[in-house]
Amino acid sequence: MSSLPDFALSECPAPAPAADTTRVGLIVPSSNTTMETELPELFRRQTEATGHRYTFHSARAGMRRVNPEELRAMVGKAADCAAAVSDADVEVIAYACLVAVMAQGPGAHIQAEAVIAKAAAENGRPAAVTSSAGALVRTLRSMGVRRVSMVTPYMRPLTQMVCDYVTGEGFEVVDAIALEVADNLAVGRLNPENLPEIARGLKRNGVDAVVLSACVQMPSLAAVQCVEDEIGVPVITAATATAFEIFFALGHRPAIKGAGSLLSGVWPRQAGSLAV
């Protein structure tokens, strides 16, 4: 009969004091497999640099296929998800589905963030709120970006809708490549090693930045730094922009290596609105 080996209590790592740990709440599609891996990896690198620790706590809203009907239904569940995740006493909540919000029409991130903030506050656990949709446009604005090219996993009509949304926020979309993957689980299986070659196909003349993944489900973290190094302009993703705003909401300066200049600390976040 096997038994557990003996060990000294001194061999167990001591937990960090509560004051050195921040809880982050996420609202993700039920089929999302990427945001809960890329964000913790980014914040693990932040912990390596600063010593501050972060934990992630998620609520899931049903969504399997990226189409208008399922996206609309997912947005309708935002308040319930916000109340549920706020029970974990998180300091910030990130609504992590860019296209679900943008599909609701111009400026929809403002309303979505307000709904989430209200639900958390009414649950007795107020928190700062961002969304991947709002984070993307606010981050581009705070970086002084005017012209941008993008890669999306969406079908062409949804990609055009994202382009129209970004254009409506005051940016010029020079080019957008649509990978046309409708199943959200399949989006999560896309190989980020293919992104450098895909990015080479973008029209980039005169762009101020490239959005390598306008979707938090499309894996991209492994490619961000190498694409930025190759093309010589800032490269961001929906996930890195969301992380950037989480840091801003917490008052923490990012110090992350290997994820693009945005999270390296060289781009100070300008004053702007986050829902509270």
Side-chain angles (χ1 to χ4, degrees), residues 111-165:
Q111 181 180 358
E113 291 166 3
V115 166
I116 292 166
K118 182 173 183 287
E122 289 180 348
N123 193 44
R125 299 288 187 180
V129 174
T130 185
S131 67
S132 50
L136 182 67
V137 297
R138 285 189 294 260
T139 297
L140 289 172
R141 190 171 294 124
S142 75
M143 295 171 71
V145 169
R146 296 178 181 273
R147 306 178 80 237
V148 63
S149 289
M150 301 189 297
V151 179
T152 89
Y154 312 126
M155 305 302 287
R156 291 187 185 278
L158 280 179
T159 296
Q160 185 59 53
M161 181 271 301
V162 170
C163 291
D164 292 345
Y165 194 101

mmCIF file of all heavy atoms in Angstrom, residues 111-165:
data_model
loop_
_atom_site.group_PDB
_atom_site.id
_atom_site.type_symbol
_atom_site.label_atom_id
_atom_site.label_comp_id
_atom_site.label_asym_id
_atom_site.label_seq_id
_atom_site.Cartn_x
_atom_site.Cartn_y
_atom_site.Cartn_z
ATOM 1 N N GLN A 111 -22.068 51.058 -22.795
ATOM 2 C CA GLN A 111 -23.249 50.517 -22.137
ATOM 3 C C GLN A 111 -22.952 49.179 -21.468
ATOM 4 O O GLN A 111 -23.394 48.917 -20.344
ATOM 5 C CB GLN A 111 -24.395 50.352 -23.132
ATOM 6 C CG GLN A 111 -25.660 49.801 -22.496
ATOM 7 C CD GLN A 111 -26.797 49.641 -23.497
ATOM 8 O OE1 GLN A 111 -26.655 49.979 -24.660
ATOM 9 N NE2 GLN A 111 -27.925 49.117 -23.033
ATOM 10 N N ALA A 112 -22.204 48.302 -22.162
ATOM 11 C CA ALA A 112 -21.893 46.990 -21.597
ATOM 12 C C ALA A 112 -21.129 47.127 -20.286
ATOM 13 O O ALA A 112 -21.422 46.430 -19.303
ATOM 14 C CB ALA A 112 -21.089 46.170 -22.602
ATOM 15 N N GLU A 113 -20.148 48.008 -20.260
ATOM 16 C CA GLU A 113 -19.360 48.201 -19.041
ATOM 17 C C GLU A 113 -20.217 48.783 -17.922
ATOM 18 O O GLU A 113 -20.075 48.410 -16.750
ATOM 19 C CB GLU A 113 -18.162 49.089 -19.346
ATOM 20 C CG GLU A 113 -17.130 48.407 -20.239
ATOM 21 C CD GLU A 113 -16.105 49.359 -20.826
ATOM 22 O OE1 GLU A 113 -16.148 50.568 -20.490
ATOM 23 O OE2 GLU A 113 -15.266 48.905 -21.630
ATOM 24 N N ALA A 114 -21.139 49.686 -18.271
ATOM 25 C CA ALA A 114 -22.022 50.272 -17.252
ATOM 26 C C ALA A 114 -22.950 49.219 -16.659
ATOM 27 O O ALA A 114 -23.204 49.210 -15.443
ATOM 28 C CB ALA A 114 -22.825 51.420 -17.867
ATOM 29 N N VAL A 115 -23.467 48.316 -17.498
ATOM 30 C CA VAL A 115 -24.347 47.243 -17.015
ATOM 31 C C VAL A 115 -23.599 46.350 -16.022
ATOM 32 O O VAL A 115 -24.124 45.980 -14.964
ATOM 33 C CB VAL A 115 -24.873 46.414 -18.207
ATOM 34 C CG1 VAL A 115 -25.488 45.099 -17.731
ATOM 35 C CG2 VAL A 115 -25.889 47.218 -19.001
ATOM 36 N N ILE A 116 -22.355 46.006 -16.360
ATOM 37 C CA ILE A 116 -21.559 45.130 -15.494
ATOM 38 C C ILE A 116 -21.231 45.821 -14.175
ATOM 39 O O ILE A 116 -21.335 45.234 -13.090
ATOM 40 C CB ILE A 116 -20.289 44.690 -16.239
ATOM 41 C CG1 ILE A 116 -20.669 43.758 -17.399
ATOM 42 C CG2 ILE A 116 -19.297 44.004 -15.298
ATOM 43 C CD1 ILE A 116 -19.559 43.526 -18.385
ATOM 44 N N ALA A 117 -20.830 47.089 -14.252
ATOM 45 C CA ALA A 117 -20.497 47.836 -13.038
ATOM 46 C C ALA A 117 -21.715 47.956 -12.124
ATOM 47 O O ALA A 117 -21.605 47.803 -10.896
ATOM 48 C CB ALA A 117 -19.971 49.222 -13.411
ATOM 49 N N LYS A 118 -22.882 48.217 -12.715
ATOM 50 C CA LYS A 118 -24.113 48.353 -11.920
ATOM 51 C C LYS A 118 -24.466 47.038 -11.236
ATOM 52 O O LYS A 118 -24.838 47.015 -10.054
ATOM 53 C CB LYS A 118 -25.251 48.811 -12.834
ATOM 54 C CG LYS A 118 -26.589 49.040 -12.132
ATOM 55 C CD LYS A 118 -27.589 49.648 -13.120
ATOM 56 C CE LYS A 118 -28.921 49.960 -12.440
ATOM 57 N NZ LYS A 118 -29.694 48.744 -12.140
ATOM 58 N N ALA A 119 -24.335 45.922 -11.967
ATOM 59 C CA ALA A 119 -24.672 44.622 -11.385
ATOM 60 C C ALA A 119 -23.751 44.279 -10.224
ATOM 61 O O ALA A 119 -24.206 43.755 -9.194
ATOM 62 C CB ALA A 119 -24.598 43.544 -12.462
ATOM 63 N N ALA A 120 -22.456 44.552 -10.375
ATOM 64 C CA ALA A 120 -21.513 44.270 -9.293
ATOM 65 C C ALA A 120 -21.811 45.141 -8.079
ATOM 66 O O ALA A 120 -21.811 44.661 -6.931
ATOM 67 C CB ALA A 120 -20.081 44.483 -9.779
ATOM 68 N N ALA A 121 -22.090 46.428 -8.315
ATOM 69 C CA ALA A 121 -22.381 47.337 -7.204
ATOM 70 C C ALA A 121 -23.659 46.935 -6.484
ATOM 71 O O ALA A 121 -23.724 46.949 -5.247
ATOM 72 C CB ALA A 121 -22.485 48.771 -7.727
ATOM 73 N N GLU A 122 -24.698 46.569 -7.249
ATOM 74 C CA GLU A 122 -25.958 46.171 -6.628
ATOM 75 C C GLU A 122 -25.824 44.852 -5.870
ATOM 76 O O GLU A 122 -26.633 44.558 -4.983
ATOM 77 C CB GLU A 122 -27.047 46.074 -7.693
ATOM 78 C CG GLU A 122 -27.469 47.440 -8.230
ATOM 79 C CD GLU A 122 -28.560 47.355 -9.281
ATOM 80 O OE1 GLU A 122 -28.840 46.231 -9.768
ATOM 81 O OE2 GLU A 122 -29.121 48.407 -9.615
ATOM 82 N N ASN A 123 -24.796 44.076 -6.206
ATOM 83 C CA ASN A 123 -24.521 42.840 -5.471
ATOM 84 C C ASN A 123 -23.694 43.106 -4.210
ATOM 85 O O ASN A 123 -23.324 42.177 -3.492
ATOM 86 C CB ASN A 123 -23.781 41.859 -6.391
ATOM 87 C CG ASN A 123 -23.730 40.455 -5.833
ATOM 88 O OD1 ASN A 123 -24.721 39.943 -5.321
ATOM 89 N ND2 ASN A 123 -22.560 39.827 -5.919
ATOM 90 N N GLY A 124 -23.392 44.362 -3.978
ATOM 91 C CA GLY A 124 -22.621 44.732 -2.797
ATOM 92 C C GLY A 124 -21.131 44.568 -2.943
ATOM 93 O O GLY A 124 -20.384 44.670 -1.955
ATOM 94 N N ARG A 125 -20.643 44.326 -4.163
ATOM 95 C CA ARG A 125 -19.219 44.133 -4.421
ATOM 96 C C ARG A 125 -18.782 44.982 -5.612
ATOM 97 O O ARG A 125 -18.461 44.468 -6.673
ATOM 98 C CB ARG A 125 -18.915 42.662 -4.712
ATOM 99 C CG ARG A 125 -19.254 41.702 -3.582
ATOM 100 C CD ARG A 125 -18.284 41.841 -2.431
ATOM 101 N NE ARG A 125 -18.503 40.812 -1.423
ATOM 102 C CZ ARG A 125 -17.793 40.701 -0.302
ATOM 103 N NH1 ARG A 125 -16.820 41.566 -0.063
ATOM 104 N NH2 ARG A 125 -18.035 39.742 0.565
ATOM 105 N N PRO A 126 -18.763 46.305 -5.473
ATOM 106 C CA PRO A 126 -18.392 47.153 -6.609
ATOM 107 C C PRO A 126 -16.963 46.883 -7.067
ATOM 108 O O PRO A 126 -16.094 46.529 -6.270
ATOM 109 C CB PRO A 126 -18.542 48.574 -6.062
ATOM 110 C CG PRO A 126 -18.459 48.426 -4.570
ATOM 111 C CD PRO A 126 -19.041 47.080 -4.253
ATOM 112 N N ALA A 127 -16.738 47.034 -8.366
ATOM 113 C CA ALA A 127 -15.417 46.803 -8.943
ATOM 114 C C ALA A 127 -15.252 47.690 -10.165
ATOM 115 O O ALA A 127 -16.243 48.068 -10.809
ATOM 116 C CB ALA A 127 -15.247 45.334 -9.342
ATOM 117 N N ALA A 128 -14.015 48.011 -10.482
ATOM 118 C CA ALA A 128 -13.746 48.674 -11.752
ATOM 119 C C ALA A 128 -14.056 47.689 -12.872
ATOM 120 O O ALA A 128 -13.944 46.473 -12.694
ATOM 121 C CB ALA A 128 -12.288 49.120 -11.820
ATOM 122 N N VAL A 129 -14.463 48.209 -14.028
ATOM 123 C CA VAL A 129 -14.877 47.350 -15.137
ATOM 124 C C VAL A 129 -14.233 47.816 -16.431
ATOM 125 O O VAL A 129 -14.184 49.015 -16.730
ATOM 126 C CB VAL A 129 -16.412 47.358 -15.299
ATOM 127 C CG1 VAL A 129 -16.829 46.579 -16.548
ATOM 128 C CG2 VAL A 129 -17.087 46.769 -14.062
ATOM 129 N N THR A 130 -13.744 46.854 -17.188
ATOM 130 C CA THR A 130 -13.328 47.110 -18.555
ATOM 131 C C THR A 130 -13.921 46.024 -19.442
ATOM 132 O O THR A 130 -14.517 45.067 -18.952
ATOM 133 C CB THR A 130 -11.800 47.154 -18.695
ATOM 134 O OG1 THR A 130 -11.461 47.523 -20.048
ATOM 135 C CG2 THR A 130 -11.159 45.808 -18.380
ATOM 136 N N SER A 131 -13.775 46.195 -20.734
ATOM 137 C CA SER A 131 -14.185 45.177 -21.699
ATOM 138 C C SER A 131 -13.114 45.116 -22.762
ATOM 139 O O SER A 131 -12.403 46.099 -23.006
ATOM 140 C CB SER A 131 -15.539 45.528 -22.329
ATOM 141 O OG SER A 131 -15.422 46.695 -23.134
ATOM 142 N N SER A 132 -12.981 43.968 -23.407
ATOM 143 C CA SER A 132 -11.957 43.868 -24.443
ATOM 144 C C SER A 132 -12.252 44.828 -25.593
ATOM 145 O O SER A 132 -11.325 45.373 -26.201
ATOM 146 C CB SER A 132 -11.834 42.423 -24.947
ATOM 147 O OG SER A 132 -13.093 41.894 -25.287
ATOM 148 N N ALA A 133 -13.544 45.071 -25.877
ATOM 149 C CA ALA A 133 -13.907 46.031 -26.919
ATOM 150 C C ALA A 133 -13.497 47.442 -26.522
ATOM 151 O O ALA A 133 -12.851 48.163 -27.293
ATOM 152 C CB ALA A 133 -15.407 45.963 -27.193
ATOM 153 N N GLY A 134 -13.878 47.852 -25.331
ATOM 154 C CA GLY A 134 -13.501 49.181 -24.867
ATOM 155 C C GLY A 134 -12.013 49.324 -24.683
ATOM 156 O O GLY A 134 -11.423 50.375 -25.000
ATOM 157 N N ALA A 135 -11.382 48.277 -24.168
ATOM 158 C CA ALA A 135 -9.932 48.331 -23.944
ATOM 159 C C ALA A 135 -9.179 48.531 -25.252
ATOM 160 O O ALA A 135 -8.203 49.280 -25.315
ATOM 161 C CB ALA A 135 -9.463 47.057 -23.253
ATOM 162 N N LEU A 136 -9.614 47.851 -26.311
ATOM 163 C CA LEU A 136 -8.908 47.986 -27.583
ATOM 164 C C LEU A 136 -8.954 49.420 -28.083
ATOM 165 O O LEU A 136 -7.904 49.995 -28.410
ATOM 166 C CB LEU A 136 -9.522 47.049 -28.621
ATOM 167 C CG LEU A 136 -8.819 47.083 -29.987
ATOM 168 C CD1 LEU A 136 -7.410 46.505 -29.887
ATOM 169 C CD2 LEU A 136 -9.630 46.336 -31.037
ATOM 170 N N VAL A 137 -10.133 50.035 -28.139
ATOM 171 C CA VAL A 137 -10.211 51.382 -28.704
ATOM 172 C C VAL A 137 -9.578 52.415 -27.774
ATOM 173 O O VAL A 137 -8.913 53.351 -28.242
ATOM 174 C CB VAL A 137 -11.665 51.754 -29.056
ATOM 175 C CG1 VAL A 137 -12.202 50.821 -30.135
ATOM 176 C CG2 VAL A 137 -12.591 51.715 -27.852
ATOM 177 N N ARG A 138 -9.741 52.248 -26.458
ATOM 178 C CA ARG A 138 -9.125 53.218 -25.540
ATOM 179 C C ARG A 138 -7.614 53.102 -25.542
ATOM 180 O O ARG A 138 -6.892 54.109 -25.453
ATOM 181 C CB ARG A 138 -9.683 53.034 -24.127
ATOM 182 C CG ARG A 138 -11.103 53.575 -23.955
ATOM 183 C CD ARG A 138 -11.519 53.569 -22.494
ATOM 184 N NE ARG A 138 -11.630 52.221 -21.965
ATOM 185 C CZ ARG A 138 -12.771 51.560 -21.811
ATOM 186 N NH1 ARG A 138 -13.931 52.110 -22.154
ATOM 187 N NH2 ARG A 138 -12.781 50.345 -21.301
ATOM 188 N N THR A 139 -7.103 51.877 -25.659
ATOM 189 C CA THR A 139 -5.653 51.697 -25.684
ATOM 190 C C THR A 139 -5.065 52.283 -26.956
ATOM 191 O O THR A 139 -4.037 52.985 -26.917
ATOM 192 C CB THR A 139 -5.292 50.209 -25.564
ATOM 193 O OG1 THR A 139 -5.740 49.733 -24.288
ATOM 194 C CG2 THR A 139 -3.792 49.991 -25.680
ATOM 195 N N LEU A 140 -5.677 52.034 -28.091
ATOM 196 C CA LEU A 140 -5.198 52.643 -29.335
ATOM 197 C C LEU A 140 -5.192 54.167 -29.210
ATOM 198 O O LEU A 140 -4.236 54.834 -29.628
ATOM 199 C CB LEU A 140 -6.086 52.211 -30.505
ATOM 200 C CG LEU A 140 -5.974 50.750 -30.949
ATOM 201 C CD1 LEU A 140 -7.053 50.433 -31.984
ATOM 202 C CD2 LEU A 140 -4.587 50.452 -31.521
ATOM 203 N N ARG A 141 -6.239 54.709 -28.623
ATOM 204 C CA ARG A 141 -6.323 56.170 -28.477
ATOM 205 C C ARG A 141 -5.235 56.690 -27.551
ATOM 206 O O ARG A 141 -4.601 57.713 -27.820
ATOM 207 C CB ARG A 141 -7.716 56.541 -27.969
ATOM 208 C CG ARG A 141 -8.013 58.035 -28.010
ATOM 209 C CD ARG A 141 -9.473 58.298 -27.702
ATOM 210 N NE ARG A 141 -10.345 57.762 -28.750
ATOM 211 C CZ ARG A 141 -11.336 56.889 -28.537
ATOM 212 N NH1 ARG A 141 -11.567 56.430 -27.314
ATOM 213 N NH2 ARG A 141 -12.069 56.465 -29.538
ATOM 214 N N SER A 142 -5.006 55.998 -26.440
ATOM 215 C CA SER A 142 -4.007 56.469 -25.478
ATOM 216 C C SER A 142 -2.593 56.378 -26.047
ATOM 217 O O SER A 142 -1.698 57.099 -25.610
ATOM 218 C CB SER A 142 -4.108 55.678 -24.171
ATOM 219 O OG SER A 142 -3.574 54.382 -24.307
ATOM 220 N N MET A 143 -2.386 55.494 -27.040
ATOM 221 C CA MET A 143 -1.095 55.370 -27.704
ATOM 222 C C MET A 143 -0.914 56.393 -28.822
ATOM 223 O O MET A 143 0.154 56.469 -29.426
ATOM 224 C CB MET A 143 -0.939 53.959 -28.280
ATOM 225 C CG MET A 143 -0.895 52.848 -27.250
ATOM 226 S SD MET A 143 -0.975 51.201 -28.001
ATOM 227 C CE MET A 143 0.644 51.097 -28.781
ATOM 228 N N GLY A 144 -1.950 57.158 -29.107
ATOM 229 C CA GLY A 144 -1.871 58.135 -30.183
ATOM 230 C C GLY A 144 -2.000 57.532 -31.570
ATOM 231 O O GLY A 144 -1.606 58.150 -32.567
ATOM 232 N N VAL A 145 -2.570 56.337 -31.658
ATOM 233 C CA VAL A 145 -2.716 55.652 -32.942
ATOM 234 C C VAL A 145 -3.824 56.314 -33.763
ATOM 235 O O VAL A 145 -4.883 56.654 -33.238
ATOM 236 C CB VAL A 145 -3.035 54.156 -32.718
ATOM 237 C CG1 VAL A 145 -3.467 53.486 -34.017
ATOM 238 C CG2 VAL A 145 -1.836 53.443 -32.104
ATOM 239 N N ARG A 146 -3.562 56.470 -35.052
ATOM 240 C CA ARG A 146 -4.574 56.975 -35.978
ATOM 241 C C ARG A 146 -4.925 55.938 -37.043
ATOM 242 O O ARG A 146 -6.072 55.796 -37.416
ATOM 243 C CB ARG A 146 -4.100 58.267 -36.658
ATOM 244 C CG ARG A 146 -3.902 59.440 -35.706
ATOM 245 C CD ARG A 146 -3.394 60.663 -36.455
ATOM 246 N NE ARG A 146 -3.177 61.790 -35.556
ATOM 247 C CZ ARG A 146 -4.114 62.670 -35.219
ATOM 248 N NH1 ARG A 146 -5.339 62.537 -35.725
ATOM 249 N NH2 ARG A 146 -3.848 63.668 -34.398
ATOM 250 N N ARG A 147 -3.909 55.220 -37.534
ATOM 251 C CA ARG A 147 -4.107 54.274 -38.629
ATOM 252 C C ARG A 147 -3.666 52.884 -38.167
ATOM 253 O O ARG A 147 -2.603 52.724 -37.576
ATOM 254 C CB ARG A 147 -3.324 54.701 -39.877
ATOM 255 C CG ARG A 147 -3.616 56.106 -40.310
ATOM 256 C CD ARG A 147 -2.773 56.523 -41.522
ATOM 257 N NE ARG A 147 -3.334 56.013 -42.768
ATOM 258 C CZ ARG A 147 -2.676 55.253 -43.624
ATOM 259 N NH1 ARG A 147 -1.428 54.860 -43.374
ATOM 260 N NH2 ARG A 147 -3.256 54.839 -44.750
ATOM 261 N N VAL A 148 -4.498 51.879 -38.433
ATOM 262 C CA VAL A 148 -4.251 50.551 -37.882
ATOM 263 C C VAL A 148 -4.636 49.492 -38.907
ATOM 264 O O VAL A 148 -5.533 49.706 -39.737
ATOM 265 C CB VAL A 148 -5.058 50.362 -36.572
ATOM 266 C CG1 VAL A 148 -6.546 50.423 -36.828
ATOM 267 C CG2 VAL A 148 -4.695 49.082 -35.858
ATOM 268 N N SER A 149 -3.940 48.355 -38.887
ATOM 269 C CA SER A 149 -4.330 47.165 -39.633
ATOM 270 C C SER A 149 -4.575 46.040 -38.636
ATOM 271 O O SER A 149 -3.960 46.010 -37.560
ATOM 272 C CB SER A 149 -3.253 46.768 -40.646
ATOM 273 O OG SER A 149 -3.205 47.693 -41.720
ATOM 274 N N MET A 150 -5.461 45.099 -39.007
ATOM 275 C CA MET A 150 -5.909 44.104 -38.042
ATOM 276 C C MET A 150 -5.982 42.710 -38.644
ATOM 277 O O MET A 150 -6.177 42.543 -39.850
ATOM 278 C CB MET A 150 -7.307 44.458 -37.518
ATOM 279 C CG MET A 150 -7.418 45.802 -36.835
ATOM 280 S SD MET A 150 -9.037 46.002 -36.021
ATOM 281 C CE MET A 150 -10.135 45.926 -37.430
ATOM 282 N N VAL A 151 -5.867 41.718 -37.759
ATOM 283 C CA VAL A 151 -6.149 40.328 -38.096
ATOM 284 C C VAL A 151 -7.292 39.874 -37.194
ATOM 285 O O VAL A 151 -7.265 40.103 -35.981
ATOM 286 C CB VAL A 151 -4.926 39.420 -37.875
ATOM 287 C CG1 VAL A 151 -5.273 37.959 -38.215
ATOM 288 C CG2 VAL A 151 -3.736 39.899 -38.700
ATOM 289 N N THR A 152 -8.310 39.232 -37.788
ATOM 290 C CA THR A 152 -9.413 38.686 -37.001
ATOM 291 C C THR A 152 -9.642 37.232 -37.403
ATOM 292 O O THR A 152 -9.344 36.844 -38.538
ATOM 293 C CB THR A 152 -10.736 39.458 -37.196
ATOM 294 O OG1 THR A 152 -11.464 38.891 -38.291
ATOM 295 C CG2 THR A 152 -10.495 40.939 -37.442
ATOM 296 N N PRO A 153 -10.219 36.435 -36.512
ATOM 297 C CA PRO A 153 -10.573 35.056 -36.888
ATOM 298 C C PRO A 153 -11.978 34.963 -37.468
ATOM 299 O O PRO A 153 -12.413 33.891 -37.873
ATOM 300 C CB PRO A 153 -10.508 34.315 -35.552
ATOM 301 C CG PRO A 153 -10.977 35.342 -34.570
ATOM 302 C CD PRO A 153 -10.441 36.671 -35.073
ATOM 303 N N TYR A 154 -12.712 36.078 -37.496
ATOM 304 C CA TYR A 154 -14.133 36.053 -37.783
ATOM 305 C C TYR A 154 -14.432 35.846 -39.268
ATOM 306 O O TYR A 154 -13.580 36.018 -40.137
ATOM 307 C CB TYR A 154 -14.781 37.368 -37.322
ATOM 308 C CG TYR A 154 -14.409 37.799 -35.939
ATOM 309 C CD1 TYR A 154 -13.884 39.071 -35.700
ATOM 310 C CD2 TYR A 154 -14.565 36.942 -34.851
ATOM 311 C CE1 TYR A 154 -13.538 39.480 -34.424
ATOM 312 C CE2 TYR A 154 -14.214 37.340 -33.572
ATOM 313 C CZ TYR A 154 -13.697 38.613 -33.363
ATOM 314 O OH TYR A 154 -13.338 39.022 -32.104
ATOM 315 N N MET A 155 -15.702 35.544 -39.544
ATOM 316 C CA MET A 155 -16.191 35.557 -40.904
ATOM 317 C C MET A 155 -16.151 37.003 -41.415
ATOM 318 O O MET A 155 -16.116 37.960 -40.624
ATOM 319 C CB MET A 155 -17.612 35.000 -40.975
ATOM 320 C CG MET A 155 -17.762 33.600 -40.383
ATOM 321 S SD MET A 155 -16.692 32.363 -41.143
ATOM 322 C CE MET A 155 -17.514 32.157 -42.735
ATOM 323 N N ARG A 156 -16.154 37.164 -42.734
ATOM 324 C CA ARG A 156 -15.965 38.501 -43.302
ATOM 325 C C ARG A 156 -17.017 39.520 -42.840
ATOM 326 O O ARG A 156 -16.662 40.676 -42.538
ATOM 327 C CB ARG A 156 -15.918 38.426 -44.827
ATOM 328 C CG ARG A 156 -14.662 37.730 -45.332
ATOM 329 C CD ARG A 156 -14.516 37.807 -46.839
ATOM 330 N NE ARG A 156 -13.363 37.023 -47.268
ATOM 331 C CZ ARG A 156 -12.111 37.448 -47.245
ATOM 332 N NH1 ARG A 156 -11.853 38.674 -46.812
ATOM 333 N NH2 ARG A 156 -11.120 36.673 -47.643
ATOM 334 N N PRO A 157 -18.305 39.172 -42.764
ATOM 335 C CA PRO A 157 -19.265 40.178 -42.299
ATOM 336 C C PRO A 157 -18.977 40.670 -40.881
ATOM 337 O O PRO A 157 -19.100 41.876 -40.606
ATOM 338 C CB PRO A 157 -20.603 39.438 -42.384
ATOM 339 C CG PRO A 157 -20.397 38.398 -43.427
ATOM 340 C CD PRO A 157 -18.981 37.941 -43.239
ATOM 341 N N LEU A 158 -18.606 39.771 -39.970
ATOM 342 C CA LEU A 158 -18.272 40.199 -38.610
ATOM 343 C C LEU A 158 -16.971 40.988 -38.585
ATOM 344 O O LEU A 158 -16.825 41.949 -37.813
ATOM 345 C CB LEU A 158 -18.182 38.993 -37.677
ATOM 346 C CG LEU A 158 -19.510 38.445 -37.154
ATOM 347 C CD1 LEU A 158 -19.265 37.237 -36.270
ATOM 348 C CD2 LEU A 158 -20.292 39.502 -36.396
ATOM 349 N N THR A 159 -16.015 40.604 -39.424
ATOM 350 C CA THR A 159 -14.770 41.373 -39.507
ATOM 351 C C THR A 159 -15.057 42.795 -39.974
ATOM 352 O O THR A 159 -14.505 43.764 -39.434
ATOM 353 C CB THR A 159 -13.777 40.690 -40.461
ATOM 354 O OG1 THR A 159 -13.424 39.412 -39.918
ATOM 355 C CG2 THR A 159 -12.520 41.516 -40.650
ATOM 356 N N GLN A 160 -15.931 42.939 -40.969
ATOM 357 C CA GLN A 160 -16.291 44.282 -41.434
ATOM 358 C C GLN A 160 -16.986 45.073 -40.338
ATOM 359 O O GLN A 160 -16.765 46.283 -40.183
ATOM 360 C CB GLN A 160 -17.203 44.188 -42.664
ATOM 361 C CG GLN A 160 -17.519 45.545 -43.285
ATOM 362 C CD GLN A 160 -16.272 46.284 -43.725
ATOM 363 O OE1 GLN A 160 -15.443 45.733 -44.466
ATOM 364 N NE2 GLN A 160 -16.109 47.531 -43.272
ATOM 365 N N MET A 161 -17.819 44.390 -39.550
ATOM 366 C CA MET A 161 -18.480 45.054 -38.438
ATOM 367 C C MET A 161 -17.479 45.567 -37.416
ATOM 368 O O MET A 161 -17.598 46.680 -36.907
ATOM 369 C CB MET A 161 -19.473 44.085 -37.795
ATOM 370 C CG MET A 161 -20.250 44.645 -36.624
ATOM 371 S SD MET A 161 -19.376 44.393 -35.072
ATOM 372 C CE MET A 161 -19.234 42.625 -35.063
ATOM 373 N N VAL A 162 -16.433 44.760 -37.121
ATOM 374 C CA VAL A 162 -15.382 45.208 -36.208
ATOM 375 C C VAL A 162 -14.651 46.413 -36.801
ATOM 376 O O VAL A 162 -14.370 47.391 -36.100
ATOM 377 C CB VAL A 162 -14.405 44.054 -35.903
ATOM 378 C CG1 VAL A 162 -13.181 44.569 -35.148
ATOM 379 C CG2 VAL A 162 -15.106 42.971 -35.093
ATOM 380 N N CYS A 163 -14.349 46.352 -38.088
ATOM 381 C CA CYS A 163 -13.689 47.486 -38.751
ATOM 382 C C CYS A 163 -14.550 48.745 -38.653
ATOM 383 O O CYS A 163 -14.042 49.846 -38.368
ATOM 384 C CB CYS A 163 -13.408 47.165 -40.211
ATOM 385 S SG CYS A 163 -12.151 45.900 -40.480
ATOM 386 N N ASP A 164 -15.855 48.597 -38.887
ATOM 387 C CA ASP A 164 -16.756 49.749 -38.812
ATOM 388 C C ASP A 164 -16.800 50.317 -37.399
ATOM 389 O O ASP A 164 -16.867 51.541 -37.205
ATOM 390 C CB ASP A 164 -18.161 49.339 -39.256
ATOM 391 C CG ASP A 164 -18.249 49.008 -40.741
ATOM 392 O OD1 ASP A 164 -17.311 49.370 -41.490
ATOM 393 O OD2 ASP A 164 -19.245 48.375 -41.144
ATOM 394 N N TYR A 165 -16.780 49.430 -36.407
ATOM 395 C CA TYR A 165 -16.805 49.878 -35.010
ATOM 396 C C TYR A 165 -15.549 50.688 -34.690
ATOM 397 O O TYR A 165 -15.619 51.774 -34.104
ATOM 398 C CB TYR A 165 -16.903 48.667 -34.098
ATOM 399 C CG TYR A 165 -17.278 48.979 -32.657
ATOM 400 C CD1 TYR A 165 -18.581 48.792 -32.212
ATOM 401 C CD2 TYR A 165 -16.331 49.426 -31.740
ATOM 402 C CE1 TYR A 165 -18.940 49.046 -30.902
ATOM 403 C CE2 TYR A 165 -16.678 49.684 -30.426
ATOM 404 C CZ TYR A 165 -17.980 49.497 -30.011
ATOM 405 O OH TYR A 165 -18.323 49.761 -28.702
#
